[in-house]
Amino acid sequence: ARAYIDAFVDGFIELHGDRSFGDDAAVLASEWQAPDGRRVYLVINRDDKAHKVSLPGAGTFRINGLSGKRIDL
């Protein structure tokens, strides 16, 4: 998933978990600025099962297994 993202998204910087809950290796997330100037989160779940994700400014949401999501900020 990371190689695919790097091929199509400039400036992707991976976010990591906090001290309370730790980092979940199955979930790949980044805050990114789209070419039109909008800021978005890109979230990818590399696991078969759903995960609960919390991101600043985007709240808490569920992401299904083997899926991706873009969240406009």
Side-chain angles (χ1 to χ4, degrees), residues 5-47:
I5 291 167
D6 288 338
F8 293 99
V9 178
D10 289 331
F12 185 90
I13 299 172
E14 186 174 354
L15 301 175
H16 293 277
D18 62 19
R19 291 182 189 156
S20 298
F21 297 101
D23 197 19
D24 187 343
V27 177
L28 180 65
S30 175
E31 184 176 343
W32 175 69
Q33 185 168 347
D36 64 4
R38 288 177 298 130
R39 287 183 30 235
V40 300
Y41 281 124
L42 301 175
V43 183
I44 297 162
N45 183 358
R46 300 180 280 194
D47 196 0

